Amino acid sequence: MKITYKSDYALKTILDLAAHFGNGPVAINDLSQRLDIPTKFLEQILLDLKRAGFVESRRGKVGGYSLGRHPGKITLGEVTRFIAGPVEPIACVDKKYSGCQDIGKCVFRDVWEEVNRSASRIIDNVTFEDLLKKSKKMNKAFTYQI
Amino acid sequence: MKITYKSDYALKTILDLAAHFGNGPVAINDLSQRLDIPTKFLEQILLDLKRAGFVESRRGKVGGYSLGRHPGKITLGEVTRFIAGPVEPIACVDKKYSGCQDIGKCVFRDVWEEVNRSASRIIDNVTFEDLLKKSKKMNKAFTYQI
DNA sequence: ATAATCTCTATTATATTAGTAGAGTATACC
DNA sequence: GGTATACTCTACTAATATAATAGAGATTAT
């Protein structure tokens, strides 16, 4: 797993779409402005997310993107794994990688797999509905502070 | 955390040095051959590891590298964190990164921190002595199979 | 028709990773 | 002291991945 700009953009985009779930499609331009993501870059990310089934799209005048499923049915784990690869390890899974050719001899592998399981247990139990609720709570707290 | 070739090489090198702990220094060339790592690349890695105090070196005819501490006193976590960065998240910690400027508003951050803690709990409790023992056991099992 | 919006492929710039090169410094041993 | 051996340090290069940018094309509401 590697949280790059692209994967971060993707996560934030899905969270935004979760916030607008049920209100019809949201245009790329709106997302792009609100989340401060280069429009053309976001386009590509959304197409990826669409191919994976996380979002749906609609063309034309009232077109835009919407979440493919209810926010409570999309986990952080699913999306992260899709856009950022497996949690751990990276190299051990890599085909080009020669260090782990005989898997039985790589003593590190077991540990990375345990890390992987442990991380998955966390992120597979967080839905975008959860994140959305937390986000709303945070914004409220932030507003009161002012 | 990102397990690149460099970090993988570093981990394997330390494991090898752990196996030779107490027997005097091991030359780069030996390590390089045994672990199949380009010599000049390994040089740099070893210098990094030396600066971090994981290994010690000795120049001259009977020179080479040796572990700076007892294998039981070096954890996988320490080394991994040094050579591969923090376990998670990458982007949230990045200075250039603008997405998490107001930390209180990044709902993902909490999750990544939980993942981080969870992974740390694992890798901070594995020493190179542990890994060495496991490695020996594995090799034995492998030999019997033949 | 046409304006708005998504779709797709190609290209470019920058950063990171992996590896290479070579001159320099210390040490054991004869 | 000379010499072989081995670590030290800095710079450079190639390959790959990341982050964008560009533009022509397809769909839909009005």
Side-chain angles (χ1 to χ4, degrees):
Chain A
M1 173 162 64
K2 201 164 67 179
I3 304 292
T4 61
Y5 276 80
K6 183 174 178 183
S7 43
D8 180 73
Y9 290 162
L11 294 177
K12 293 200 163 125
T13 298
I14 292 196
L15 186 65
D16 191 294
L17 291 178
H20 293 82
F21 187 70
N23 302 341
V26 181
I28 293 186
N29 272 322
D30 292 351
L31 289 167
S32 159
Q33 280 201 317
R34 206 153 45 217
L35 303 173
D36 192 32
I37 301 172
T39 310
K40 289 303 244 175
F41 196 23
L42 184 55
E43 262 185 19
Q44 293 176 44
I45 294 167
L46 281 165
L47 285 176
D48 280 350
L49 292 174
K50 189 189 169 184
R51 285 179 200 118
F54 294 118
V55 304
E56 289 172 348
S57 67
R58 187 183 172 156
R59 286 181 170 185
K61 198 139 192 177
V62 294
Y65 284 90
S66 50
L67 230 50
R69 285 177 265 159
H70 188 276
K73 293 286 180 197
I74 303 180
T75 67
L76 180 57
E78 283 178 281
V79 181
T80 302
R81 218 165 276 119
F82 174 69
I83 53 162
V87 180
E88 288 299 337
I90 297 169
C92 284
V93 166
D94 189 357
K95 281 109 181 108
K96 294 183 313 189
Y97 185 77
S98 59
C100 275
Q101 271 177 338
D102 33 345
I103 283 168
K105 288 174 107 173
C106 176
V107 287
F108 299 104
R109 198 188 171 87
D110 287 350
V111 184
W112 299 141
E113 280 180 353
E114 200 186 332
V115 168
N116 190 17
R117 275 194 300 274
S118 155
S120 293
R121 212 172 301 135
I122 296 166
I123 62 178
D124 287 339
N125 281 302
V126 176
T127 69
F128 277 83
E129 191 177 28
D130 299 332
L131 291 167
L132 187 58
K133 275 181 194 161
K134 202 161 86 177
S135 162
K136 282 179 181 164
K137 209 179 282 181
M138 275 178 164
N139 278 327
K140 207 184 274 180
F142 185 68
T143 308
Y144 286 159
Q145 252 187 339
I146 300 171
Chain B
M1 174 161 64
K2 202 163 67 180
I3 304 292
T4 60
Y5 276 80
K6 183 175 178 182
S7 44
D8 180 73
Y9 290 162
L11 293 177
K12 294 201 163 121
T13 298
I14 292 196
L15 186 65
D16 191 293
L17 290 178
H20 293 83
F21 187 69
N23 302 341
V26 182
I28 294 185
N29 272 322
D30 293 351
L31 289 165
S32 159
Q33 279 201 317
R34 205 153 45 217
L35 303 173
D36 192 32
I37 302 172
T39 309
K40 290 303 246 175
F41 197 23
L42 184 55
E43 263 185 18
Q44 293 176 42
I45 293 167
L46 281 164
L47 285 176
D48 280 351
L49 292 174
K50 188 190 168 184
R51 286 181 199 114
F54 294 118
V55 305
E56 289 171 348
S57 68
R58 188 183 171 157
R59 287 181 171 186
K61 200 139 190 180
V62 294
Y65 284 89
S66 50
L67 230 51
R69 285 176 265 160
H70 187 277
K73 293 285 181 198
I74 303 180
T75 68
L76 180 58
E78 283 178 282
V79 182
T80 302
R81 219 165 275 120
F82 175 69
I83 53 163
V87 180
E88 288 299 338
I90 297 170
C92 284
V93 167
D94 188 357
K95 280 110 181 107
K96 293 185 314 190
Y97 184 78
S98 60
C100 276
Q101 272 177 337
D102 34 343
I103 282 168
K105 289 174 108 174
C106 175
V107 287
F108 298 104
R109 197 187 171 89
D110 286 351
V111 184
W112 299 140
E113 280 181 351
E114 199 185 333
V115 169
N116 191 18
R117 275 193 300 275
S118 156
S120 293
R121 213 172 300 136
I122 296 167
I123 63 179
D124 287 338
N125 281 302
V126 177
T127 69
F128 277 83
E129 191 176 29
D130 299 333
L131 291 166
L132 186 58
K133 276 182 193 161
K134 202 161 87 177
S135 162
K136 282 178 181 166
K137 208 179 284 181
M138 275 178 165
N139 277 326
K140 206 184 278 182
F142 186 66
T143 307
Y144 287 158
Q145 252 187 338
I146 298 172

